């Protein structure tokens, strides 16, 4: 690895008041494309979470007391430091996470966008002058920091899915305890620890505690943490929400998806099949916003299937660090087995493989399934692999019914020759996000992002949404003079 930011200090260490030995031991971070070891990761346990929260609570008040422009300057310095080291961030995404170079560059670009947007938050108005019925009294509603924010982030987009909570939480005066997934602990945690050190973030304000379920549960349950932001599977998200509820802390859950790409009979099929391939195959389909169900009107279904399958067959798969490929490896053997199971069960139930359906080691070929129905595994489950199940429907009404036939509600996309038709259809979809004449994979740092149902508890990310997430209202009244009461 061409390390210019990382030295040897992180090997076998966690970051909490400096680099130190964690109570959870160590593990090896592995390159999924080759199985090669990339380094030794320090692991945290529940005791480390206790210690980190104590340090964070001690450091947070002084940080919150800084004038907003000073906090903004620190966040801008983080962004400038990342610009100088972005090649290193991209390489770790490629090697540790299996990203192709384009995806890695795109993700780091998203991180920079989040940092610049977060840097604008501390100098915005943070309250209201309220009307009052009493002379000589001022009444103010103001935003104040929560205190300590816990962030639990996943392995698939480890940098953006960490920083989109970390950056605004810090900018608005909080301290942060980050627990990245162990499979991408360097990409999604260790690199940020060094970046923040280099940029001059005050000691004790930011902690990186890689680990398994134990530190994750400790973050969710800790009474000293006032809010938890979790991104990951719906099954784990339910547990995090339950644990957080026991201490009545705020919880943000951005969970799974089983997203529909609807292709209407007036769509540009060349553009639609391109959007479908991108939506299903980017990062090997390991994205919560992946197009998991292609719902196509029957009059254009054959042509759409032909075009989509042709695109899938032309996408090279291999080691993204050493080869020119469109898809890299799946993250691990467990993920591979689950994708293969879903495809096998769906084919056994009557679906047809039009492309792919095979794998070599962790490299799964882009797969197109025709003849999928609502009872099949590829329709009902979140696949999290490079699989495009195609469902044929009679008309627009059936397309809406099929799209809404899921417990998830993250994102949908509509391909149509009429923008107005797309808008009207969007009104009928029960998702937190809808894109007309686009694919399902979109992210803007200044747009509200989030889903409904099993996809989470609302639009939790985005510039203005950050005020709702990472601060709380305080009502402040001030009288010019004290006065007496009837008692």
């Amino acid at each position: 690895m061409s390390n210019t930011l990382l030295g040897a200090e992180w090997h076998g260490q966690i970051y909490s008041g400096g680099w130190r030995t964690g109570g959870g031991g160590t593990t090896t971070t592995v390159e999924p494309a080759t199985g090669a070891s990339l380094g030794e990761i320090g692991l945290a346990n529940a005791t480390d979470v206790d210690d980190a929260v104590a340090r964070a609570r001690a450091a947070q008040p002084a940080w919150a007391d800084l004038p907003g422009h000073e906090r903004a300057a620190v966040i801008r310095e983080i962004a400038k430091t990342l610009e100088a080291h972005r090649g290193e961030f991209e390489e770790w995404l490629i090697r540790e996470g299996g990203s192709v170079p384009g995806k890695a560059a795109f993700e780091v670009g998203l991180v920079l966008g989040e940092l610049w947007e977060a840097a604008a938050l501390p100098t915005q108005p943070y309250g209201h002058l309220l009307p009052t019925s009493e002379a000589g009294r001022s009444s103010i509603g103001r935003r104040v920091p929560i205190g300590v924010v816990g962030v639990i982030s996943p392995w698939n987009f480890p940098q953006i899915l960490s920083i989109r909570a970390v950056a605004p939480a810090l900018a608005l005066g909080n301290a942060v305890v980050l627990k990245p997934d162990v499979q991408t602990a360097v990409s999604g945690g260790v690199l940020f620890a060094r970046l923040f050190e280099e940029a001059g973030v005050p000691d004790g304000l930011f902690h990186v505690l890689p680990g398994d379920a134990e530190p994750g549960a400790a973050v969710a349950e800790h009474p000293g943490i006032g809010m938890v932001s979790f991104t990951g599977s719906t099954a784990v998200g339910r547990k995090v929400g339950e644990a957080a509820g026991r201490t009545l802390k705020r919880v943000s859950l951005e969970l799974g998806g089983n997203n529909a790409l609807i292709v209407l009979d007036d769509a540009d099929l060349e553009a639609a099949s391109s959007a479908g391939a991108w939506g299903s195959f980017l990062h090997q389909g390991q994205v919560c916003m992946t197009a998991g169900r292609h719902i196509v009107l029957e009059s254009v279904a054959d042509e759409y299937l032909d075009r989509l399958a042709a695109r899938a067959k032309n996408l090279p798969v291999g080691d993204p660090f050493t080869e020119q490929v469109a898809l890299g490896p799946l993250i691990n053997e467990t993920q591979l087995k689950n994708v293969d199971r879903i495809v096998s069960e769906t084919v056994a139930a009557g679906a047809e493989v039009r492309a792919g359906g095979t794998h070599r080691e962790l490299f799964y070929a882009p797969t197109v399934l025709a003849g999928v129905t609502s009872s099949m595994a590829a329709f009902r489950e979140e696949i999290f692999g490079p699989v495009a199940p195609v469902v044929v429907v009679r008309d627009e009404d059936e397309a809406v019914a099929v799209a809404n036939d899921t417990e998830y509600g993250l994102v949908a996309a509509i391909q149509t020759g009429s923008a107005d038709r797309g808008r009207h259809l969007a009104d009928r979809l029960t998702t937190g996000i809808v894109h007309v004449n686009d694919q399902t994979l979109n992210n803007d740092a200044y747009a509200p992002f989030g889903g409904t149902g099993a996809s989470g508890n609302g639009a939790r990310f985005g510039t203005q949404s950050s005020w709702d997430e990472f601060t709380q209202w305080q009502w402040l009244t001030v009288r010019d003079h004290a006065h007496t009461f009837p008692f």
Side-chain angles (χ1 to χ4, degrees):
M1 302 290 284
S2 55
N3 295 325
T4 58
L5 183 65
L6 293 185
E9 69 285 326
W10 66 275
H11 285 277
Q13 302 288 291
I14 62 173
Y15 183 74
S16 186
W19 296 97
R20 47 190 289 268
T21 302
T26 63
T27 191
T28 300
T29 185
V30 173
E31 183 176 37
T34 65
S37 170
L38 299 175
E40 188 179 27
I41 300 297
L43 300 177
N45 62 10
T47 300
D48 294 315
V49 174
D50 285 338
D51 181 69
V53 172
R55 293 172 186 268
R57 286 169 64 89
Q60 185 268 333
W63 171 251
D65 284 344
L66 285 178
H69 71 275
E70 293 187 24
R71 278 186 271 119
V74 173
I75 303 299
R76 287 196 296 270
E77 187 61 30
I78 295 170
K80 289 187 286 186
T81 306
L82 174 56
E83 289 275 18
H85 296 282
R86 67 176 299 162
E88 189 171 348
F89 276 68
E90 291 174 13
E91 186 172 327
W92 272 100
L93 286 171
I94 294 166
R95 300 202 62 189
E96 188 180 40
S99 301
V100 298
K103 180 267 186 186
F106 176 69
E107 184 171 352
V108 175
L110 290 176
V111 171
L112 285 165
E114 292 286 345
L115 287 166
W116 290 119
E117 290 295 326
L121 292 172
T123 53
Q124 292 180 6
Y126 58 93
H128 305 293
L129 185 62
L130 304 174
T132 179
S133 60
E134 300 182 40
R137 184 182 78 162
S138 61
S139 180
I140 300 166
R142 61 180 182 177
R143 294 284 196 176
V144 297
I146 289 171
V148 180
V149 172
V151 179
I152 304 173
S153 60
W155 50 262
N156 59 328
F157 271 72
Q159 291 178 8
I160 184 59
L161 298 181
S162 294
I163 207 67
R164 69 176 182 180
V166 170
L170 286 174
L172 293 172
N174 301 284
V176 174
V177 176
L178 169 65
K179 193 210 83 70
D181 193 286
V182 291
Q183 294 172 105
T184 50
V186 178
S187 303
V190 171
L191 279 169
F192 287 127
R194 279 292 298 121
L195 180 67
F196 286 21
E197 270 191 322
E198 194 80 5
V201 173
D203 185 54
L205 198 66
F206 178 62
H207 305 258
V208 177
L209 308 179
D212 54 17
E214 181 183 343
V219 167
E221 296 169 354
H222 202 290
I225 291 178
M227 183 254 182
V228 172
S229 175
F230 171 83
T231 304
S233 72
T234 297
V236 177
R238 295 184 196 277
K239 295 178 181 178
V240 171
E242 180 182 356
R246 287 195 287 271
T247 54
L248 301 180
K249 62 168 56 73
R250 183 179 299 175
V251 60
S252 169
L253 302 172
E254 203 276 281
L255 309 176
N258 191 2
N259 312 299
L261 172 69
I262 299 174
V263 182
L264 299 181
D265 49 11
D266 60 350
D268 177 341
L269 296 183
E270 181 67 12
S273 61
S274 176
W278 182 261
S280 285
F281 304 140
L282 178 68
H283 197 43
Q284 299 77 262
Q286 300 172 126
V287 193
C288 62
M289 296 179 287
T290 290
R293 296 172 298 150
H294 298 235
I295 301 170
V296 187
L297 266 63
E298 60 184 354
S299 61
V300 295
D302 288 342
E303 184 178 352
Y304 179 79
L305 268 165
D306 288 342
R307 290 176 181 269
L308 184 62
R311 291 180 183 278
K313 292 173 183 176
N314 286 330
L315 293 175
V317 182
D319 184 345
F321 187 60
T322 59
E323 303 173 59
Q324 292 283 335
V325 297
L327 282 77
L330 296 177
I331 191 66
N332 57 36
E333 188 71 26
T334 299
Q335 190 66 25
L336 172 73
K337 289 179 179 178
N338 190 55
V339 172
D340 204 40
R341 174 191 62 79
I342 291 172
V343 171
S344 297
E345 289 181 5
T346 302
V347 171
E352 175 193 359
V353 176
R354 294 290 296 271
T358 61
H359 66 89
R360 173 182 56 84
E361 298 173 332
L362 295 180
F363 302 100
Y364 206 95
T367 298
V368 176
L369 300 176
V372 174
T373 67
S374 61
S375 63
M376 296 178 181
F379 181 95
R380 305 251 52 107
E381 299 185 44
E382 182 182 26
I383 304 171
F384 235 61
V387 180
V390 178
V391 183
V392 178
V393 294
R394 294 183 304 276
D395 54 29
E396 190 173 307
D397 289 338
E398 187 179 4
V400 170
V402 170
N404 288 337
D405 183 19
T406 176
E407 66 174 338
Y408 297 99
L410 182 53
V411 60
I414 302 163
Q415 290 285 325
T416 175
S418 167
D420 284 341
R421 187 182 182 191
R423 289 190 187 96
H424 290 309
L425 188 63
D427 292 340
R428 302 169 66 189
L429 298 175
T430 54
T431 58
I433 305 166
V434 185
H435 303 296
V436 176
N437 284 332
D438 205 342
Q439 38 78 38
T440 55
L441 301 164
N442 279 281
N443 186 88
D444 285 328
Y446 32 83
F449 183 98
T452 62
S455 292
N457 57 356
R460 299 296 187 176
F461 301 99
T463 304
Q464 294 306 313
S465 301
S466 295
W467 285 99
D468 296 325
E469 281 304 283
F470 303 112
T471 65
Q472 54 194 6
W473 283 107
Q474 182 184 68
W475 182 32
L476 172 68
T477 67
V478 180
R479 293 181 178 274
D480 294 337
H481 305 287
H483 70 113
T484 60
F485 294 88
F487 290 173

